[in-house]
PDB file of all heavy atoms in Angstrom:
ATOM      1  N   GLN A 183     171.055 106.220 -95.841  1.00  0.00           N
ATOM      2  CA  GLN A 183     169.729 106.829 -95.903  1.00  0.00           C
ATOM      3  C   GLN A 183     169.276 106.917 -97.362  1.00  0.00           C
ATOM      4  O   GLN A 183     170.037 107.311 -98.238  1.00  0.00           O
ATOM      5  CB  GLN A 183     169.756 108.224 -95.281  1.00  0.00           C
ATOM      6  CG  GLN A 183     168.407 108.905 -95.271  1.00  0.00           C
ATOM      7  CD  GLN A 183     168.485 110.312 -94.694  1.00  0.00           C
ATOM      8  OE1 GLN A 183     169.555 110.846 -94.458  1.00  0.00           O
ATOM      9  NE2 GLN A 183     167.334 110.902 -94.472  1.00  0.00           N
ATOM     10  N   ARG A 184     168.041 106.541 -97.606  1.00  0.00           N
ATOM     11  CA  ARG A 184     167.462 106.591 -98.942  1.00  0.00           C
ATOM     12  C   ARG A 184     167.202 108.043 -99.336  1.00  0.00           C
ATOM     13  O   ARG A 184     166.671 108.835 -98.554  1.00  0.00           O
ATOM     14  CB  ARG A 184     166.159 105.790 -98.934  1.00  0.00           C
ATOM     15  CG  ARG A 184     165.467 105.714-100.259  1.00  0.00           C
ATOM     16  CD  ARG A 184     164.338 104.702-100.222  1.00  0.00           C
ATOM     17  NE  ARG A 184     163.230 105.121 -99.427  1.00  0.00           N
ATOM     18  CZ  ARG A 184     162.060 105.551 -99.906  1.00  0.00           C
ATOM     19  NH1 ARG A 184     161.865 105.605-101.202  1.00  0.00           N
ATOM     20  NH2 ARG A 184     161.087 105.892 -99.105  1.00  0.00           N
ATOM     21  N   HIS A 185     167.576 108.389-100.573  1.00  0.00           N
ATOM     22  CA  HIS A 185     167.307 109.733-101.093  1.00  0.00           C
ATOM     23  C   HIS A 185     165.830 109.818-101.452  1.00  0.00           C
ATOM     24  O   HIS A 185     165.298 108.970-102.162  1.00  0.00           O
ATOM     25  CB  HIS A 185     168.173 110.010-102.325  1.00  0.00           C
ATOM     26  CG  HIS A 185     167.940 111.367-102.891  1.00  0.00           C
ATOM     27  ND1 HIS A 185     167.020 111.613-103.881  1.00  0.00           N
ATOM     28  CD2 HIS A 185     168.485 112.570-102.590  1.00  0.00           C
ATOM     29  CE1 HIS A 185     167.015 112.895-104.177  1.00  0.00           C
ATOM     30  NE2 HIS A 185     167.896 113.501-103.406  1.00  0.00           N
ATOM     31  N   LEU A 186     165.166 110.852-100.959  1.00  0.00           N
ATOM     32  CA  LEU A 186     163.734 111.024-101.179  1.00  0.00           C
ATOM     33  C   LEU A 186     163.456 112.196-102.103  1.00  0.00           C
ATOM     34  O   LEU A 186     164.182 113.190-102.116  1.00  0.00           O
ATOM     35  CB  LEU A 186     163.012 111.257 -99.846  1.00  0.00           C
ATOM     36  CG  LEU A 186     163.131 110.146 -98.807  1.00  0.00           C
ATOM     37  CD1 LEU A 186     162.532 110.592 -97.490  1.00  0.00           C
ATOM     38  CD2 LEU A 186     162.468 108.874 -99.308  1.00  0.00           C
ATOM     39  N   ARG A 187     162.368 112.073-102.831  1.00  0.00           N
ATOM     40  CA  ARG A 187     161.868 113.157-103.684  1.00  0.00           C
ATOM     41  C   ARG A 187     160.528 113.586-103.106  1.00  0.00           C
ATOM     42  O   ARG A 187     159.596 112.781-103.018  1.00  0.00           O
ATOM     43  CB  ARG A 187     161.705 112.659-105.110  1.00  0.00           C
ATOM     44  CG  ARG A 187     161.188 113.696-106.065  1.00  0.00           C
ATOM     45  CD  ARG A 187     160.962 113.062-107.435  1.00  0.00           C
ATOM     46  NE  ARG A 187     160.250 113.970-108.284  1.00  0.00           N
ATOM     47  CZ  ARG A 187     160.742 114.487-109.402  1.00  0.00           C
ATOM     48  NH1 ARG A 187     161.955 114.181-109.784  1.00  0.00           N
ATOM     49  NH2 ARG A 187     160.024 115.311-110.127  1.00  0.00           N
ATOM     50  N   ILE A 188     160.441 114.839-102.703  1.00  0.00           N
ATOM     51  CA  ILE A 188     159.228 115.373-102.094  1.00  0.00           C
ATOM     52  C   ILE A 188     158.641 116.399-103.046  1.00  0.00           C
ATOM     53  O   ILE A 188     159.292 117.390-103.395  1.00  0.00           O
ATOM     54  CB  ILE A 188     159.512 116.005-100.709  1.00  0.00           C
ATOM     55  CG1 ILE A 188     159.911 114.940 -99.687  1.00  0.00           C
ATOM     56  CG2 ILE A 188     158.272 116.726-100.190  1.00  0.00           C
ATOM     57  CD1 ILE A 188     161.323 114.545 -99.713  1.00  0.00           C
ATOM     58  N   MET A 189     157.405 116.166-103.468  1.00  0.00           N
ATOM     59  CA  MET A 189     156.711 117.147-104.289  1.00  0.00           C
ATOM     60  C   MET A 189     155.864 118.012-103.377  1.00  0.00           C
ATOM     61  O   MET A 189     155.081 117.506-102.580  1.00  0.00           O
ATOM     62  CB  MET A 189     155.814 116.493-105.330  1.00  0.00           C
ATOM     63  CG  MET A 189     155.122 117.532-106.203  1.00  0.00           C
ATOM     64  SD  MET A 189     154.032 116.813-107.434  1.00  0.00           S
ATOM     65  CE  MET A 189     153.565 118.296-108.327  1.00  0.00           C
ATOM     66  N   THR A 190     156.036 119.319-103.491  1.00  0.00           N
ATOM     67  CA  THR A 190     155.200 120.248-102.735  1.00  0.00           C
ATOM     68  C   THR A 190     154.323 121.002-103.722  1.00  0.00           C
ATOM     69  O   THR A 190     154.780 121.380-104.809  1.00  0.00           O
ATOM     70  CB  THR A 190     156.042 121.236-101.896  1.00  0.00           C
ATOM     71  OG1 THR A 190     156.846 122.040-102.764  1.00  0.00           O
ATOM     72  CG2 THR A 190     156.931 120.487-100.913  1.00  0.00           C
ATOM     73  N   ILE A 191     153.083 121.189-103.347  1.00  0.00           N
ATOM     74  CA  ILE A 191     152.141 121.918-104.182  1.00  0.00           C
ATOM     75  C   ILE A 191     151.671 123.132-103.399  1.00  0.00           C
ATOM     76  O   ILE A 191     150.939 122.992-102.411  1.00  0.00           O
ATOM     77  CB  ILE A 191     150.949 121.032-104.587  1.00  0.00           C
ATOM     78  CG1 ILE A 191     151.450 119.782-105.318  1.00  0.00           C
ATOM     79  CG2 ILE A 191     149.970 121.826-105.455  1.00  0.00           C
ATOM     80  CD1 ILE A 191     150.388 118.741-105.543  1.00  0.00           C
ATOM     81  N   LEU A 192     152.149 124.292-103.810  1.00  0.00           N
ATOM     82  CA  LEU A 192     151.723 125.537-103.180  1.00  0.00           C
ATOM     83  C   LEU A 192     150.360 125.887-103.757  1.00  0.00           C
ATOM     84  O   LEU A 192     150.239 126.258-104.918  1.00  0.00           O
ATOM     85  CB  LEU A 192     152.736 126.651-103.423  1.00  0.00           C
ATOM     86  CG  LEU A 192     152.355 128.037-102.892  1.00  0.00           C
ATOM     87  CD1 LEU A 192     152.101 128.008-101.381  1.00  0.00           C
ATOM     88  CD2 LEU A 192     153.434 129.052-103.238  1.00  0.00           C
ATOM     89  N   GLY A 193     149.330 125.737-102.931  1.00  0.00           N
ATOM     90  CA  GLY A 193     147.967 125.934-103.386  1.00  0.00           C
ATOM     91  C   GLY A 193     147.417 127.317-103.133  1.00  0.00           C
ATOM     92  O   GLY A 193     146.225 127.550-103.291  1.00  0.00           O
ATOM     93  N   SER A 194     148.279 128.237-102.746  1.00  0.00           N
ATOM     94  CA  SER A 194     147.851 129.596-102.478  1.00  0.00           C
ATOM     95  C   SER A 194     147.861 130.425-103.755  1.00  0.00           C
ATOM     96  O   SER A 194     148.787 130.299-104.568  1.00  0.00           O
ATOM     97  CB  SER A 194     148.789 130.257-101.463  1.00  0.00           C
ATOM     98  OG  SER A 194     148.480 131.631-101.324  1.00  0.00           O
ATOM     99  N   PRO A 195     146.881 131.302-103.933  1.00  0.00           N
ATOM    100  CA  PRO A 195     146.947 132.230-105.065  1.00  0.00           C
ATOM    101  C   PRO A 195     148.152 133.175-104.981  1.00  0.00           C
ATOM    102  O   PRO A 195     148.606 133.694-105.986  1.00  0.00           O
ATOM    103  CB  PRO A 195     145.635 133.013-104.971  1.00  0.00           C
ATOM    104  CG  PRO A 195     144.723 132.139-104.195  1.00  0.00           C
ATOM    105  CD  PRO A 195     145.603 131.404-103.224  1.00  0.00           C
ATOM    106  N   ARG A 196     148.680 133.377-103.759  1.00  0.00           N
ATOM    107  CA  ARG A 196     149.801 134.308-103.567  1.00  0.00           C
ATOM    108  C   ARG A 196     151.131 133.553-103.532  1.00  0.00           C
ATOM    109  O   ARG A 196     151.335 132.680-102.694  1.00  0.00           O
ATOM    110  CB  ARG A 196     149.618 135.101-102.278  1.00  0.00           C
ATOM    111  CG  ARG A 196     148.371 135.987-102.302  1.00  0.00           C
ATOM    112  CD  ARG A 196     148.298 136.939-101.133  1.00  0.00           C
ATOM    113  NE  ARG A 196     148.363 136.254 -99.865  1.00  0.00           N
ATOM    114  CZ  ARG A 196     148.828 136.797 -98.753  1.00  0.00           C
ATOM    115  NH1 ARG A 196     149.283 138.032 -98.740  1.00  0.00           N
ATOM    116  NH2 ARG A 196     148.833 136.111 -97.621  1.00  0.00           N
ATOM    117  N   ALA A 197     152.026 133.922-104.407  1.00  0.00           N
ATOM    118  CA  ALA A 197     153.327 133.252-104.498  1.00  0.00           C
ATOM    119  C   ALA A 197     154.244 133.586-103.333  1.00  0.00           C
ATOM    120  O   ALA A 197     155.197 132.845-103.067  1.00  0.00           O
ATOM    121  CB  ALA A 197     154.016 133.623-105.812  1.00  0.00           C
ATOM    122  N   GLU A 198     153.980 134.680-102.622  1.00  0.00           N
ATOM    123  CA  GLU A 198     154.861 135.089-101.530  1.00  0.00           C
ATOM    124  C   GLU A 198     154.072 135.397-100.265  1.00  0.00           C
ATOM    125  O   GLU A 198     154.441 136.295 -99.500  1.00  0.00           O
ATOM    126  CB  GLU A 198     155.697 136.297-101.971  1.00  0.00           C
ATOM    127  CG  GLU A 198     156.628 135.950-103.122  1.00  0.00           C
ATOM    128  CD  GLU A 198     157.506 137.107-103.554  1.00  0.00           C
ATOM    129  OE1 GLU A 198     157.679 138.060-102.781  1.00  0.00           O
ATOM    130  OE2 GLU A 198     158.031 137.035-104.678  1.00  0.00           O
ATOM    131  N   GLY A 199     153.013 134.647-100.033  1.00  0.00           N
ATOM    132  CA  GLY A 199     152.186 134.859 -98.850  1.00  0.00           C
ATOM    133  C   GLY A 199     152.627 134.017 -97.664  1.00  0.00           C
ATOM    134  O   GLY A 199     153.734 133.455 -97.641  1.00  0.00           O
ATOM    135  N   ASN A 200     151.756 133.930 -96.675  1.00  0.00           N
ATOM    136  CA  ASN A 200     152.040 133.172 -95.454  1.00  0.00           C
ATOM    137  C   ASN A 200     152.359 131.707 -95.739  1.00  0.00           C
ATOM    138  O   ASN A 200     153.309 131.142 -95.206  1.00  0.00           O
ATOM    139  CB  ASN A 200     150.837 133.245 -94.503  1.00  0.00           C
ATOM    140  CG  ASN A 200     150.538 134.640 -94.038  1.00  0.00           C
ATOM    141  OD1 ASN A 200     151.434 135.382 -93.649  1.00  0.00           O
ATOM    142  ND2 ASN A 200     149.269 135.021 -94.079  1.00  0.00           N
ATOM    143  N   THR A 201     151.535 131.098 -96.591  1.00  0.00           N
ATOM    144  CA  THR A 201     151.712 129.672 -96.886  1.00  0.00           C
ATOM    145  C   THR A 201     153.040 129.436 -97.589  1.00  0.00           C
ATOM    146  O   THR A 201     153.756 128.479 -97.279  1.00  0.00           O
ATOM    147  CB  THR A 201     150.545 129.161 -97.742  1.00  0.00           C
ATOM    148  OG1 THR A 201     149.313 129.497 -97.097  1.00  0.00           O
ATOM    149  CG2 THR A 201     150.614 127.657 -97.920  1.00  0.00           C
ATOM    150  N   ALA A 202     153.384 130.314 -98.530  1.00  0.00           N
ATOM    151  CA  ALA A 202     154.648 130.180 -99.255  1.00  0.00           C
ATOM    152  C   ALA A 202     155.838 130.273 -98.306  1.00  0.00           C
ATOM    153  O   ALA A 202     156.808 129.525 -98.438  1.00  0.00           O
ATOM    154  CB  ALA A 202     154.745 131.238-100.346  1.00  0.00           C
ATOM    155  N   LYS A 203     155.767 131.182 -97.351  1.00  0.00           N
ATOM    156  CA  LYS A 203     156.879 131.337 -96.410  1.00  0.00           C
ATOM    157  C   LYS A 203     157.026 130.097 -95.534  1.00  0.00           C
ATOM    158  O   LYS A 203     158.142 129.586 -95.345  1.00  0.00           O
ATOM    159  CB  LYS A 203     156.682 132.575 -95.540  1.00  0.00           C
ATOM    160  CG  LYS A 203     157.864 132.835 -94.616  1.00  0.00           C
ATOM    161  CD  LYS A 203     157.775 134.187 -93.948  1.00  0.00           C
ATOM    162  CE  LYS A 203     159.019 134.463 -93.117  1.00  0.00           C
ATOM    163  NZ  LYS A 203     158.961 135.811 -92.526  1.00  0.00           N
ATOM    164  N   ALA A 204     155.915 129.602 -95.004  1.00  0.00           N
ATOM    165  CA  ALA A 204     155.982 128.390 -94.171  1.00  0.00           C
ATOM    166  C   ALA A 204     156.470 127.199 -94.991  1.00  0.00           C
ATOM    167  O   ALA A 204     157.279 126.391 -94.516  1.00  0.00           O
ATOM    168  CB  ALA A 204     154.616 128.110 -93.550  1.00  0.00           C
ATOM    169  N   LEU A 205     155.999 127.088 -96.238  1.00  0.00           N
ATOM    170  CA  LEU A 205     156.432 125.984 -97.090  1.00  0.00           C
ATOM    171  C   LEU A 205     157.917 126.090 -97.407  1.00  0.00           C
ATOM    172  O   LEU A 205     158.623 125.074 -97.450  1.00  0.00           O
ATOM    173  CB  LEU A 205     155.607 125.969 -98.388  1.00  0.00           C
ATOM    174  CG  LEU A 205     155.921 124.831 -99.353  1.00  0.00           C
ATOM    175  CD1 LEU A 205     155.703 123.468 -98.707  1.00  0.00           C
ATOM    176  CD2 LEU A 205     155.083 124.977-100.624  1.00  0.00           C
ATOM    177  N   TYR A 206     158.418 127.296 -97.586  1.00  0.00           N
ATOM    178  CA  TYR A 206     159.851 127.488 -97.836  1.00  0.00           C
ATOM    179  C   TYR A 206     160.669 126.891 -96.687  1.00  0.00           C
ATOM    180  O   TYR A 206     161.680 126.225 -96.908  1.00  0.00           O
ATOM    181  CB  TYR A 206     160.165 128.977 -98.016  1.00  0.00           C
ATOM    182  CG  TYR A 206     161.643 129.271 -97.970  1.00  0.00           C
ATOM    183  CD1 TYR A 206     162.454 129.015 -99.072  1.00  0.00           C
ATOM    184  CD2 TYR A 206     162.227 129.775 -96.809  1.00  0.00           C
ATOM    185  CE1 TYR A 206     163.822 129.258 -99.018  1.00  0.00           C
ATOM    186  CE2 TYR A 206     163.593 130.019 -96.754  1.00  0.00           C
ATOM    187  CZ  TYR A 206     164.393 129.757 -97.853  1.00  0.00           C
ATOM    188  OH  TYR A 206     165.745 129.983 -97.786  1.00  0.00           O
ATOM    189  N   TRP A 207     160.243 127.143 -95.445  1.00  0.00           N
ATOM    190  CA  TRP A 207     160.972 126.585 -94.298  1.00  0.00           C
ATOM    191  C   TRP A 207     160.962 125.061 -94.320  1.00  0.00           C
ATOM    192  O   TRP A 207     161.964 124.418 -94.014  1.00  0.00           O
ATOM    193  CB  TRP A 207     160.370 127.094 -92.992  1.00  0.00           C
ATOM    194  CG  TRP A 207     160.647 128.529 -92.687  1.00  0.00           C
ATOM    195  CD1 TRP A 207     161.780 129.251 -93.003  1.00  0.00           C
ATOM    196  CD2 TRP A 207     159.791 129.428 -91.984  1.00  0.00           C
ATOM    197  NE1 TRP A 207     161.662 130.533 -92.542  1.00  0.00           N
ATOM    198  CE2 TRP A 207     160.468 130.676 -91.911  1.00  0.00           C
ATOM    199  CE3 TRP A 207     158.537 129.308 -91.404  1.00  0.00           C
ATOM    200  CZ2 TRP A 207     159.910 131.783 -91.267  1.00  0.00           C
ATOM    201  CZ3 TRP A 207     157.969 130.411 -90.772  1.00  0.00           C
ATOM    202  CH2 TRP A 207     158.665 131.637 -90.716  1.00  0.00           C
ATOM    203  N   VAL A 208     159.832 124.481 -94.678  1.00  0.00           N
ATOM    204  CA  VAL A 208     159.732 123.019 -94.774  1.00  0.00           C
ATOM    205  C   VAL A 208     160.680 122.512 -95.856  1.00  0.00           C
ATOM    206  O   VAL A 208     161.464 121.576 -95.642  1.00  0.00           O
ATOM    207  CB  VAL A 208     158.277 122.591 -95.068  1.00  0.00           C
ATOM    208  CG1 VAL A 208     158.198 121.094 -95.370  1.00  0.00           C
ATOM    209  CG2 VAL A 208     157.354 122.949 -93.911  1.00  0.00           C
ATOM    210  N   GLU A 209     160.624 123.135 -97.025  1.00  0.00           N
ATOM    211  CA  GLU A 209     161.452 122.697 -98.151  1.00  0.00           C
ATOM    212  C   GLU A 209     162.943 122.838 -97.845  1.00  0.00           C
ATOM    213  O   GLU A 209     163.743 121.952 -98.184  1.00  0.00           O
ATOM    214  CB  GLU A 209     161.095 123.514 -99.391  1.00  0.00           C
ATOM    215  CG  GLU A 209     159.710 123.229 -99.918  1.00  0.00           C
ATOM    216  CD  GLU A 209     159.238 124.217-100.967  1.00  0.00           C
ATOM    217  OE1 GLU A 209     159.746 125.371-100.990  1.00  0.00           O
ATOM    218  OE2 GLU A 209     158.363 123.849-101.763  1.00  0.00           O
ATOM    219  N   LYS A 210     163.313 123.941 -97.211  1.00  0.00           N
ATOM    220  CA  LYS A 210     164.730 124.166 -96.878  1.00  0.00           C
ATOM    221  C   LYS A 210     165.241 123.066 -95.941  1.00  0.00           C
ATOM    222  O   LYS A 210     166.349 122.555 -96.121  1.00  0.00           O
ATOM    223  CB  LYS A 210     164.897 125.551 -96.253  1.00  0.00           C
ATOM    224  CG  LYS A 210     166.337 125.961 -96.020  1.00  0.00           C
ATOM    225  CD  LYS A 210     166.399 127.433 -95.674  1.00  0.00           C
ATOM    226  CE  LYS A 210     167.745 127.918 -95.276  1.00  0.00           C
ATOM    227  NZ  LYS A 210     168.842 127.617 -96.151  1.00  0.00           N
ATOM    228  N   GLN A 211     164.433 122.689 -94.971  1.00  0.00           N
ATOM    229  CA  GLN A 211     164.819 121.630 -94.031  1.00  0.00           C
ATOM    230  C   GLN A 211     164.975 120.288 -94.766  1.00  0.00           C
ATOM    231  O   GLN A 211     165.898 119.530 -94.488  1.00  0.00           O
ATOM    232  CB  GLN A 211     163.768 121.522 -92.918  1.00  0.00           C
ATOM    233  CG  GLN A 211     164.132 120.589 -91.800  1.00  0.00           C
ATOM    234  CD  GLN A 211     165.256 121.122 -90.934  1.00  0.00           C
ATOM    235  OE1 GLN A 211     165.531 122.311 -90.896  1.00  0.00           O
ATOM    236  NE2 GLN A 211     165.936 120.229 -90.247  1.00  0.00           N
ATOM    237  N   ILE A 212     164.082 120.011 -95.696  1.00  0.00           N
ATOM    238  CA  ILE A 212     164.147 118.771 -96.474  1.00  0.00           C
ATOM    239  C   ILE A 212     165.409 118.751 -97.329  1.00  0.00           C
ATOM    240  O   ILE A 212     166.124 117.743 -97.378  1.00  0.00           O
ATOM    241  CB  ILE A 212     162.875 118.623 -97.344  1.00  0.00           C
ATOM    242  CG1 ILE A 212     161.670 118.296 -96.448  1.00  0.00           C
ATOM    243  CG2 ILE A 212     163.063 117.558 -98.426  1.00  0.00           C
ATOM    244  CD1 ILE A 212     160.335 118.415 -97.127  1.00  0.00           C
ATOM    245  N   GLU A 213     165.708 119.867 -97.983  1.00  0.00           N
ATOM    246  CA  GLU A 213     166.910 119.944 -98.816  1.00  0.00           C
ATOM    247  C   GLU A 213     168.174 119.866 -97.974  1.00  0.00           C
ATOM    248  O   GLU A 213     169.153 119.225 -98.377  1.00  0.00           O
ATOM    249  CB  GLU A 213     166.890 121.224 -99.655  1.00  0.00           C
ATOM    250  CG  GLU A 213     165.836 121.189-100.739  1.00  0.00           C
ATOM    251  CD  GLU A 213     165.669 122.496-101.495  1.00  0.00           C
ATOM    252  OE1 GLU A 213     166.031 123.565-100.955  1.00  0.00           O
ATOM    253  OE2 GLU A 213     165.146 122.438-102.616  1.00  0.00           O
ATOM    254  N   THR A 214     168.157 120.487 -96.800  1.00  0.00           N
ATOM    255  CA  THR A 214     169.314 120.421 -95.898  1.00  0.00           C
ATOM    256  C   THR A 214     169.591 118.983 -95.467  1.00  0.00           C
ATOM    257  O   THR A 214     170.742 118.596 -95.266  1.00  0.00           O
ATOM    258  CB  THR A 214     169.070 121.321 -94.661  1.00  0.00           C
ATOM    259  OG1 THR A 214     168.929 122.671 -95.117  1.00  0.00           O
ATOM    260  CG2 THR A 214     170.220 121.252 -93.669  1.00  0.00           C
ATOM    261  N   ALA A 215     168.531 118.177 -95.380  1.00  0.00           N
ATOM    262  CA  ALA A 215     168.681 116.764 -95.019  1.00  0.00           C
ATOM    263  C   ALA A 215     169.141 115.920 -96.211  1.00  0.00           C
ATOM    264  O   ALA A 215     169.315 114.707 -96.085  1.00  0.00           O
ATOM    265  CB  ALA A 215     167.371 116.220 -94.461  1.00  0.00           C
ATOM    266  N   GLY A 216     169.349 116.555 -97.376  1.00  0.00           N
ATOM    267  CA  GLY A 216     169.903 115.861 -98.533  1.00  0.00           C
ATOM    268  C   GLY A 216     168.887 115.297 -99.506  1.00  0.00           C
ATOM    269  O   GLY A 216     169.237 114.478-100.361  1.00  0.00           O
TER     270      GLY A 216
END
Side-chain angles (χ1 to χ4, degrees):
Q183 182 182 9
R184 182 170 70 106
H185 180 268
L186 300 172
R187 180 184 170 117
I188 292 83
M189 181 181 185
T190 62
I191 303 170
L192 176 58
S194 173
R196 297 189 304 153
E198 296 182 19
N200 297 314
T201 307
K203 184 170 184 177
L205 182 59
Y206 167 78
W207 288 327
V208 172
E209 292 168 336
K210 187 168 174 51
Q211 187 70 21
I212 288 168
E213 290 173 337
T214 298

